[in-house]
Amino acid sequence: MPKLRGEAFWRETLRSAHYVVAPMVDQSELAWRLLSRRHGAQLCYTPMLHAQVFLRDANYRRENLYGEACAEDRPLIVQFCANDPEVFVQAALLAQDYCDAIDLNLGCPQMIAKRGHYGAFLQEEWDLLQRMILLANEKLSVPITCKIRVFPDIDKTVKYAQMLEKAGCQLLTVHGRTKEQKGPLAGVASWEHIQAVRKAVNIPVFANGNIQCLSDVEECIRKTGVHGVMSAEGNLHNPALFEGRNPLVWEMAEEYLEIVQKYPCPLSYVRAHLFKLWHHTLQVYQQLREELAKVKTLEGIVDVNRELKLRCQEEIANQKEGEKPKEGLPFFHWICQPYIRPGPKERCKENGASGTEKGVRGKRTLEEEEDGNSELLSKNKQKKKLRNPNKSFDPSLKPKYAKCDQCGNPKGNKCVFNMCRGCCKKRAFKETADCPGHGLLFKTKYEKSLSWQHSPRGIQSPEMSRRGEAEVGEAMVLKEAGDS
């Protein structure tokens, strides 16, 4: 069948989906997608997959896509992060039979995306993005979509979206925040940017940002004119968001745990979901928060969930008539509801002016950790300190390694070229030289082969002669290769 495009793709393949669950690393796995679909979600994305790893690692493919085939889990879009057209397309070719479209992540603002050079950190490289989407659009049998963040300037955002459409993008998800807006600096997403993009392109557009309940979804569609709305954190705190309901937390948690029994996933995913679902309740029952963090089995998580349920039911039984929710919450803490992330000023007030009031410590600065004070070390470093009390984290005491002249990795202490072993081997082979420090003896072996050729022993017998000629021939090939 011919590949559907634009509006036809959205209407027929995606079944005119309005309610969309976002791609979330370690959080939008199959079990959570099925829970969300049961409660109103019409389209789901996989977690972001790394194209390079997906291409080379069969286990990664099986764990993240191949082993999760489920008839209920459609329509489904697989999202990749990538920065190389060939790698992206080769990975997508391996995934296209298991989904309805391939999405290129151009929205991840995290430090790992900056280090890996993908996500929102590609948004200035328009030539590269054009090549990636053009090639994918040409080679794949399913449509290519993109998820982006906006630029501060609306006009530049519009031109960016139009460039992606022209390259072959068939659906665009616009997160109305810049790549700098994340964590406590997230702020409010700009629906004005999203509306401008929707008016400027002829392909379907999904909006992302500021979605906490169903009324937000409806308002976003009305104000921006988008085809659908994507939710991430709102969905994690209330998987029934798209139904317009605020169910009891334990109902959603128990249903999710039942699905996990059938479609297992890493325990860290399950724990993270329960931390989100029980977020407000765990502020009340701190001891159970600690237990949930330490539990090592799915059965243990089920037990903590059961204990949280019993505590809440006991609290409901003892509730006084007319009692209202505390801490400014719209509902009681045992009801699924949004979590409003505090901004920088609010977080400072929570932590106290010095960041140490009420036993709550603010973020450690790098300088605080460098002095080796155990009270200011990260939890991971404190554990290492317990195992080895003599261990020091003072960077001034760490050994300094001289760098390779070629690549910057630590060089060999006795290398004649002042290089690491990899660079040294290439140079020694090219120049037919020796490096005793790395045990590389190209020159010595070459000279031995020449001396063997001219020595009387080289012609003692036909068999020995043939062996000597073979070794000389091999040495000559190496020499010629090095010279070239």
Side-chain angles (χ1 to χ4, degrees):
M1 293 178 62
K3 182 164 59 176
L4 295 177
R5 300 177 181 277
E7 292 274 350
F9 161 63
W10 174 70
R11 279 195 314 272
E12 298 181 34
T13 305
L14 302 186
R15 306 168 195 169
S16 301
H18 296 296
Y19 305 147
V20 186
V21 176
M24 299 173 284
V25 175
D26 297 346
Q27 295 282 265
S28 53
E29 81 286 355
L30 176 60
W32 188 260
R33 297 198 300 265
L34 293 178
L35 177 70
S36 301
R37 290 180 191 277
R38 291 181 185 181
H39 295 281
Q42 299 166 333
L43 170 64
C44 292
Y45 285 62
T46 66
M48 180 188 73
L49 305 178
H50 197 293
Q52 182 74 58
V53 181
F54 192 87
L55 184 58
R56 72 166 185 257
D57 192 335
N59 288 333
Y60 185 80
R61 294 195 292 271
R62 185 179 66 254
E63 291 167 4
N64 290 281
L65 188 62
Y66 289 3
E68 295 189 344
C70 176
E72 299 173 61
D73 191 34
R74 301 297 279 268
L76 177 69
I77 295 179
V78 172
Q79 187 186 71
F80 283 109
C81 66
N83 55 25
D84 180 280
E86 287 293 338
V87 170
F88 173 53
V89 170
Q90 290 302 317
L93 287 169
L94 292 173
Q96 65 179 359
D97 293 338
Y98 297 82
C99 62
D100 299 288
I102 299 293
D103 186 79
L104 177 61
N105 183 326
L106 301 175
C108 181
Q110 303 304 324
M111 184 55 66
I112 191 171
K114 184 175 183 179
R115 292 194 193 105
H117 192 53
Y118 57 80
F121 298 93
L122 294 178
Q123 66 179 14
E124 296 286 357
E125 301 186 34
W126 291 16
D127 288 342
L128 172 62
L129 297 181
Q130 279 182 318
R131 285 188 283 116
M132 291 176 74
I133 296 167
L134 280 167
L135 187 62
N137 192 44
E138 176 189 343
K139 300 289 186 181
L140 299 180
S141 62
V142 295
I144 177 76
T145 70
C146 297
K147 185 173 188 289
I148 66 171
R149 284 196 169 224
V150 300
F151 291 96
D153 180 53
I154 291 181
D155 289 340
K156 187 173 182 180
T157 303
V158 167
K159 291 176 182 176
Y160 181 40
Q162 289 174 329
M163 177 274 294
L164 295 173
E165 178 188 17
K166 186 177 179 181
C169 176
Q170 302 301 320
L171 183 146
L172 197 60
T173 300
V174 184
H175 188 156
R177 294 184 175 93
T178 65
K179 71 175 186 294
E180 291 76 26
Q181 289 181 275
K182 58 183 179 180
L185 301 176
V188 178
S190 170
W191 286 356
E192 187 180 358
H193 282 71
I194 298 172
Q195 182 187 36
V197 170
R198 171 68 190 99
K199 289 180 178 178
V201 298
N202 297 311
I203 56 175
V205 175
F206 289 159
N208 185 206
N210 303 344
I211 305 302
Q212 299 289 350
C213 55
L214 186 60
S215 60
D216 292 336
V217 175
E218 294 166 348
E219 184 182 3
C220 182
I221 292 175
R222 180 174 56 80
K223 285 188 174 181
T224 63
V226 292
H227 295 71
V229 171
M230 178 182 284
S231 173
E233 284 213 4
N235 165 262
L236 291 176
H237 288 275
N238 179 12
L241 180 153
F242 292 126
E243 285 184 321
R245 293 196 307 120
N246 295 88
L248 295 167
V249 173
W250 63 78
E251 289 182 4
M252 294 292 98
E254 287 174 346
E255 186 175 355
Y256 171 65
L257 290 171
E258 286 177 10
I259 298 173
V260 170
Q261 296 279 3
K262 186 175 180 181
Y263 299 101
C265 63
L267 199 67
S268 60
Y269 298 8
V270 182
R271 183 187 288 109
H273 279 302
L274 262 67
F275 269 122
K276 290 285 196 303
L277 287 170
W278 285 111
H279 175 84
H280 299 292
T281 300
L282 291 172
Q283 309 305 309
V284 179
Y285 302 115
Q286 290 284 341
Q287 183 184 353
L288 290 174
R289 180 185 180 85
E290 293 296 323
E291 288 185 25
L292 181 59
K294 294 176 182 176
V295 70
K296 301 293 185 184
T297 64
L298 183 60
E299 292 73 20
I301 288 181
V302 171
D303 290 340
V304 174
N305 185 68
R306 187 183 300 113
E307 181 61 27
L308 282 164
K309 175 182 176 180
L310 292 173
R311 297 276 185 98
C312 291
Q313 289 177 331
E314 184 179 346
E315 198 173 331
I316 293 170
N318 297 328
Q319 199 172 2
K320 296 177 182 178
E321 188 176 348
E323 189 175 343
K324 294 183 178 179
K326 299 176 182 178
E327 304 294 332
L329 297 176
F331 306 103
F332 289 102
H333 61 78
W334 54 80
I335 294 174
C336 290
Q337 57 193 297
Y339 165 63
I340 309 300
R341 189 188 296 274
K345 292 182 180 178
E346 291 83 354
R347 193 174 291 277
C348 287
K349 290 177 183 176
E350 285 180 8
N351 293 347
S354 65
T356 56
E357 293 180 12
K358 299 180 183 179
V360 179
R361 185 173 71 233
K363 278 194 172 182
R364 296 174 301 277
T365 62
L366 185 61
E367 292 77 13
E368 287 175 334
E369 283 203 5
E370 284 181 351
D371 64 5
N373 188 337
S374 62
E375 292 184 358
L376 298 173
L377 292 175
S378 66
K379 287 184 178 179
N380 190 34
K381 289 181 178 177
Q382 287 180 38
K383 289 177 184 176
K384 292 180 180 178
K385 191 83 172 176
L386 283 174
R387 291 195 295 269
N388 182 7
N390 297 322
K391 188 171 181 64
S392 173
F393 295 98
D394 187 347
S396 64
L397 300 178
K398 291 183 178 180
K400 303 295 182 183
Y401 295 104
K403 292 183 178 180
C404 168
D405 291 346
Q406 190 73 24
C407 67
N409 287 326
K411 78 176 186 69
N413 291 331
K414 297 180 181 179
C415 178
V416 297
F417 299 118
N418 292 318
M419 292 181 174
C420 65
R421 193 176 197 284
C423 296
C424 175
K425 187 175 182 180
K426 292 177 184 176
R427 180 167 174 179
F429 176 79
K430 184 177 181 180
E431 298 180 6
T432 318
D434 288 350
C435 177
H438 281 126
L440 303 172
L441 305 173
F442 292 104
K443 180 180 178 182
T444 300
K445 290 180 179 178
Y446 176 66
E447 289 175 349
K448 280 185 178 180
S449 67
L450 290 179
S451 63
W452 174 263
Q453 180 184 11
H454 299 294
S455 69
R457 289 176 298 169
I459 54 173
Q460 285 178 358
S461 68
E463 182 182 349
M464 294 293 289
S465 178
R466 285 194 297 271
R467 187 183 303 172
E469 288 174 0
E471 290 184 4
V472 171
E474 182 180 352
M476 293 300 291
V477 169
L478 287 173
K479 174 64 178 170
E480 289 172 3
D483 292 342
S484 63

